[in-house]
Amino acid sequence: MLYSITAPEEGGETQFCDMATAYDNLDEAMKRRIDGIRVAHKYGRGKRRRDEPPANPIVNDEQDSRVPPVWHPLVMPHPVTGRKALYALGHGAYAIEGMADGEAEALLDELKDHALEERHIYRHKYTAGDLVVWDTLQTMHAATPIGVATGKADSRLLWRISVRGRPAVHAEAA
């Protein structure tokens, strides 16, 4: 959840990518190809898009060795609804289990390009007092970059509230 305390007059939106609809809009051959694939994630290892360098805050090999990769399914059914979504495409994604690096990078780039088509994106323009709630398991989100604030007209302050665990309705049904 993001709660807007202060919103800039221009810019400062949050972009939400509907990863469930992005999965739904893949052709059946691609769905068969990617179901069951696991993707490696590592903070600072991946890149947002193919034409961007990795956004790597890891500055040396010693730091890198202390941050192990985490493996996630590329396609994950929602634990409550069962609806499948592309899941492991964030900027930390960098490898696919059992796949050569070049082939994995090409597939991840293709899926990112597909997911980030305009038809899958909603941009929220904040006003003070807005509360935006999204399902982390079926969306990706990113802030629209804005410059350093110089005053009230271009300031943005959002409180982020995160919830852990399965929803009670799901726990009771299990």
Side-chain angles (χ1 to χ4, degrees):
M1 293 178 260
L2 289 173
Y3 177 66
S4 175
I5 304 298
T6 305
E9 292 174 5
E10 293 183 30
E13 297 86 2
T14 300
Q15 303 172 96
F16 296 92
C17 183
D18 180 348
M19 301 301 280
T21 300
Y23 176 82
D24 291 345
N25 288 336
L26 290 170
D27 63 46
E28 293 304 316
M30 179 61 82
K31 288 178 185 177
R32 284 190 303 276
R33 179 179 178 198
I34 65 175
D35 280 351
I37 285 179
R38 290 181 358 126
V39 177
H41 285 254
K42 190 169 187 176
Y43 183 66
R45 180 70 186 269
K47 56 187 177 179
R48 290 177 181 87
R49 301 299 288 269
R50 73 174 57 102
D51 55 345
E52 296 178 13
N56 193 350
I58 305 296
V59 296
N60 60 45
D61 290 340
E62 191 273 328
Q63 274 187 330
D64 187 57
S65 69
R66 291 191 327 223
V67 181
V70 177
W71 293 87
H72 293 289
L74 177 57
V75 177
M76 187 169 68
H78 193 280
V80 175
T81 66
R83 185 177 182 196
K84 290 182 177 182
L86 293 171
Y87 180 67
L89 284 177
H91 69 271
Y94 72 95
I96 294 176
E97 189 173 55
M99 192 177 286
D101 289 346
E103 183 183 359
E105 186 173 310
L107 179 57
L108 291 171
D109 284 343
E110 180 181 352
L111 292 169
K112 284 179 190 180
D113 288 345
H114 169 77
L116 295 174
E117 291 174 3
E118 284 299 316
R119 64 184 172 152
H120 302 134
I121 296 175
Y122 164 74
R123 290 173 180 80
H124 186 78
K125 172 71 176 137
Y126 293 96
T127 58
D130 284 357
L131 177 65
V132 177
V133 179
W134 69 96
D135 185 341
T136 298
L137 297 176
Q138 298 207 320
T139 58
M140 286 195 307
H141 73 284
T144 302
I146 57 174
V148 175
T150 60
K152 184 174 171 67
D154 61 355
S155 294
R156 174 179 65 190
L157 175 60
L158 304 173
W159 287 351
R160 180 168 177 167
I161 305 154
S162 297
V163 179
R164 286 190 332 177
R166 293 184 175 195
V169 66
H170 177 68
E172 292 171 10

